[in-house]
Amino acid sequence: MSEPLVPRMQGFGTTIFAEMSALAVETGSINLGQGFPDTDGPPAMLDTAIEAIRSGLNQYPPGPGLPELRQAVADQKRERYGLSYDPAAEVFVTVGATEGIAASVLALTGPGDEVIAFEPTYDSYAATIALAGAVLRPVTLRPDGGRFTFDPDELRAAVGPRTRMILVNSPHNPVGTVFTRDELELIAGLCREHDLVALTDEVYEYLTFDGAEHIPLATLPGMRERTVAVSSVGKTFSVTGWKTGWVTAPAPYIRAVQTVKQFTTFAVGGPWQRATAYALGNELPWVEELRASLQAKRDRLITGLEAAGFTAFRPQGTYFVQTDIGPLGFKDGVELARALPGKAGVVAIPSQVFYQRPDEGARFVRFAFCKKDEVIDEAVERLRRVTG
Ligand code: PMP
Ligand code: GLN
């Protein structure tokens, strides 16, 4: 049979997360690959979802989302960032940030349009941009004094006559960078100058460390009117399986996103929406505890990885550590990540798969630290036995 998959999606294969999580199960390895916590979110939030099901919130919710969740998102934007959004026209609920990003890219870009994104790029970006028939222009984040950042000239040079959108993920998965105001100002300046749409992926907005501040791009001068911001419940409240996200943007952008989203999934599960609204309004102290505990876990994992011979980059946000495997005598992260489960019983993610130019990312492997301390300790011990 000839290949049934459309040409623009050939080459995307199975996601690295699915591949590596399957390998973890197959080999009985500790999974520090796919980023999901091994403890639950706030109990009262979980109870709210259960109660919602029991009380009959089980039929189609409104396509744009439950009013209570849209209101909770608008409140969160105002209280945390001083950003004002009309819950009825400027807040929109999606199936996770993944659908928020996909619907936005599909709604706002088309064949021949160029989308700039900072490489390594979260895996759904390249696939979604390809689905839209648009072209991904990567700008590479490279280590500079222990932190990954971009070369301003490379960013400026990436903007051309076909550029339509800049996709900004901060805090950044997988490198852990939280963009500074100066970095964001540079991006904002290009958006204003060239009339570009900014699509921001802010799913790790609460998970920042050592006082690093997450600054939404929409708060910069002239940016609210051209920014489509995406976030979700998964990372903030440790429920990655709930797949409930939201988009905030000026009404014309929301209408565009809605036009696409109503035909991809139409609506998002009601119980998750109700519980997410509850959590945004009531469980932020719980999130602060999560954040503090993740910072300690980050340091725990880094100490262990360094003892095992990796060069580890200390992330300012997210729950991932990017490592350089060069000091271990390896050059190819994909090879190492495929061998580690068998050799050490540990699964990691080769960051190379997030690069358009694989040689840029060949030496990097990502480990997740959203795990119980004893799991991190055992993983590190296993790695040391192999590398030491
Ligand atoms: N963006 C980034 C950077 C992520 O790490 C993730 C991880 N899941 C997502 C988007 C997707 O979020 P969601 O599960 O809400 O779709
Ligand atoms: N965001 C998670 C990560 O980066 C994985 C999400 C997924 O499996 N698609 O590990």
Side-chain angles (χ1 to χ4, degrees):
M1 193 171 88
S2 64
E3 172 57 76
L5 182 64
V6 288
R8 67 184 184 282
M9 291 309 288
Q10 286 174 20
F12 286 99
T14 305
T15 85
I16 195 68
F17 304 117
E19 178 188 339
M20 286 301 170
S21 284
L23 201 54
V25 172
E26 213 174 280
T27 58
S29 293
I30 296 178
N31 191 352
L32 301 189
Q34 191 177 29
F36 59 89
D38 57 1
T39 46
D40 260 336
M45 176 190 76
L46 306 180
D47 287 343
T48 304
I50 293 165
E51 183 46 35
I53 292 173
R54 291 202 197 288
S55 71
L57 190 64
N58 297 313
Q59 309 310 328
Y60 295 125
L66 290 184
E68 66 202 69
L69 176 53
R70 300 165 88 192
Q71 183 66 54
V73 169
D75 292 346
Q76 183 255 2
K77 294 283 177 189
R78 193 185 57 254
E79 283 159 23
R80 190 168 172 82
Y81 304 118
L83 283 167
S84 163
Y85 288 98
D86 173 0
E90 298 183 313
V91 181
F92 188 77
V93 179
T94 55
V95 181
T98 308
E99 192 193 34
I101 294 161
S104 302
V105 168
L106 288 167
L108 303 173
T109 72
D113 288 340
E114 295 184 5
V115 179
I116 294 175
F118 295 94
E119 168 180 83
T121 52
Y122 181 61
D123 74 336
S124 79
Y125 302 171
T128 297
I129 292 166
L131 262 184
V135 176
L136 171 57
R137 283 264 164 261
V139 172
T140 306
L141 298 169
R142 299 190 185 88
D144 178 14
R147 171 181 182 272
F148 283 70
T149 188
F150 58 89
D151 172 354
D153 289 335
E154 194 183 328
L155 177 59
R156 282 188 205 100
V159 183
R162 305 301 308 263
T163 310
R164 170 97 182 100
M165 173 184 277
I166 301 190
L167 209 171
V168 181
N169 170 219
S170 180
H172 187 278
N173 174 12
V175 304
T177 294
V178 177
F179 283 134
T180 62
R181 191 171 291 280
D182 285 351
E183 287 165 335
L184 292 169
E185 187 46 58
L186 217 147
I187 296 167
L190 289 170
C191 290
R192 290 186 302 252
E193 187 184 335
H194 298 277
D195 194 22
L196 310 178
V197 182
L199 176 58
T200 63
D201 176 350
E202 306 181 36
V203 298
Y204 298 99
E205 61 185 308
Y206 285 93
L207 307 185
T208 64
F209 311 124
D210 308 323
E213 184 196 1
H214 168 64
I215 305 171
L217 193 57
T219 61
L220 272 64
M223 290 307 291
R224 186 198 177 283
E225 59 259 42
R226 57 175 71 254
T227 299
V228 177
V230 177
S231 192
S232 71
V233 72
K235 322 292 166 175
T236 302
F237 296 104
S238 294
V239 282
T240 59
W242 281 18
K243 301 302 296 185
T244 301
W246 49 88
V247 180
T248 47
Y253 288 113
I254 293 294
R255 283 197 295 273
V257 171
Q258 177 171 8
T259 303
V260 170
K261 185 253 151 54
Q262 63 189 343
F263 300 117
T264 50
T265 55
F266 181 67
V268 179
W272 317 124
Q273 293 194 60
R274 171 157 298 166
T276 301
Y278 165 80
L280 281 172
N282 298 279
E283 296 288 359
L284 292 179
W286 182 94
V287 178
E288 173 49 28
E289 273 174 38
L290 170 71
R291 193 205 63 72
S293 97
L294 283 172
Q295 183 168 316
K297 289 177 189 299
R298 173 197 66 170
D299 295 339
R300 191 178 197 102
L301 178 62
I302 286 181
T303 303
L305 288 172
E306 285 176 345
F310 292 84
T311 297
F313 297 93
R314 197 169 297 268
Q316 301 171 287
T318 77
Y319 39 53
F320 305 111
V321 174
Q322 174 89 323
T323 63
D324 185 338
I325 58 171
L328 292 170
F330 289 95
K331 284 200 184 68
D332 188 322
V334 173
E335 234 169 71
L336 179 71
R338 290 213 166 109
L340 268 186
K343 281 204 160 85
V346 175
V347 160
I349 297 288
S351 305
Q352 184 178 332
V353 300
F354 304 135
Y355 287 79
Q356 299 301 300
R357 298 167 284 207
D359 49 313
E360 286 278 2
R363 294 194 335 263
F364 300 121
V365 169
R366 187 196 84 174
F367 292 86
F369 55 83
C370 44
K371 305 291 172 184
K372 295 186 181 111
D373 286 350
E374 58 268 30
V375 173
I376 293 175
D377 292 347
E378 173 63 21
V380 160
E381 190 47 44
R382 290 184 185 188
L383 289 170
R384 283 174 67 162
R385 256 182 256 140
V386 172
T387 59

